[in-house]
Amino acid sequence: MALKPIITLPDRRLRLKSEPVAAVDDEVRKLMDDMLETMYDAPGIGLAAIQIAVPKRVMVIDLARREDEQAPADPLFIANPEILWASEEESSYEEGCLSIPDYREEVFRPARIRFGFLDRQGKRQEMEADGLLATCVQHEIDHLNGVLFIDHISRLKRDRVLKKFNKSAKRVGDQPSAAG
Ligand code: GNR
Ligand code: NI
């Protein structure tokens, strides 16, 4: 396994639409393993392949270590996910994203979903999710479509975030300033 750098705003690759995998072969399993190691290291509860600059429809999720870093791993390996059903009812979570460091905001999404995917063995699965898992799956599927959680918040807040990240990108190598 290998740790990979996580790309962050304003990297334009975060806006790419990722391509489905033809099959879950050894190369895709290696990608999944690298993603999982990178996600645990961050730490995060989900990671889409584009966050390590690979435009494939692959993601990993593990909610088990959210509160206790020492808890046993319980990873979900997901390729080519598709939302099959989403509830009318919505719920909100304060979301964050490893590609938008140090920013969190409340996002409303369908509270429950049913989704299909290929697992680590390439076997087709269907799952229902609610709570944080439903949110996380939708957040990661958004990444595969070039969508970020800030696209679901008010334009005012989004523009503020984008401006901050555009500024800090131009200032790489500069001294930090009070203006941020
Ligand atoms: O680690 C993460 N936490 C999180 C919290 C609330 C809603 C979504 C997430 S996903 C995020 C990791 C990430 O950026 N995945 O793409
Ligand atoms: Ni994210």
Side-chain angles (χ1 to χ4, degrees):
M1 292 207 280
L3 273 182
K4 303 288 185 182
I6 294 176
I7 64 174
T8 58
L9 281 180
D11 196 312
R12 286 181 178 80
R13 289 172 292 184
L14 291 168
R15 294 307 191 174
L16 289 175
K17 188 174 161 82
S18 295
E19 293 292 331
V21 297
V24 182
D25 54 14
D26 286 348
E27 190 189 326
V28 170
R29 276 188 283 273
K30 164 89 168 77
L31 169 65
M32 287 170 163
D33 291 344
D34 290 348
M35 287 169 60
L36 194 71
E37 186 183 1
T38 302
M39 184 191 81
Y40 287 144
D41 181 73
I45 58 172
L47 196 74
I50 193 59
Q51 294 181 276
I52 58 164
V54 177
K56 292 190 172 144
R57 301 187 80 81
V58 172
M59 62 205 226
V60 295
I61 292 178
D62 192 339
L63 304 187
R65 291 175 169 179
R66 190 164 57 100
E67 274 155 13
D68 174 8
E69 258 184 59
Q70 308 305 318
D74 186 17
L76 263 177
F77 299 97
I78 294 173
N80 299 353
E82 285 186 90
I83 303 249
L84 305 171
W85 171 84
S87 64
E88 296 277 330
E89 184 200 340
E90 296 198 323
S91 67
S92 75
Y93 270 95
E94 188 169 88
E95 297 196 19
C97 181
L98 294 170
S99 297
I100 312 176
D102 304 317
Y103 182 72
R104 302 181 71 85
E105 189 53 74
E106 186 174 39
V107 176
F108 285 82
R109 300 181 186 272
R112 278 170 292 125
I113 57 169
R114 184 163 186 84
F115 62 105
F117 61 100
L118 301 178
D119 70 12
R120 201 170 187 284
Q121 275 66 51
K123 190 174 172 245
R124 157 104 191 164
Q125 304 264 8
E126 283 189 18
M127 263 184 86
E128 269 193 35
D130 62 10
L132 184 58
L133 180 59
T135 287
C136 195
V137 170
Q138 293 174 81
H139 175 118
E140 304 313 337
I141 290 177
D142 270 357
H143 274 301
L144 307 185
N145 295 324
V147 174
L148 300 170
F149 84 89
I150 53 171
D151 300 334
H152 298 290
I153 67 180
S154 77
R155 182 174 195 160
L156 181 74
K157 286 178 178 168
R158 178 170 59 255
D159 286 350
R160 222 150 46 196
V161 175
L162 291 172
K163 191 171 166 187
K164 185 186 125 182
F165 280 92
N166 280 322
K167 263 195 212 161
S168 55
K170 279 185 207 137
R171 282 192 190 150
V172 168
D174 284 12
Q175 293 299 319
S177 79

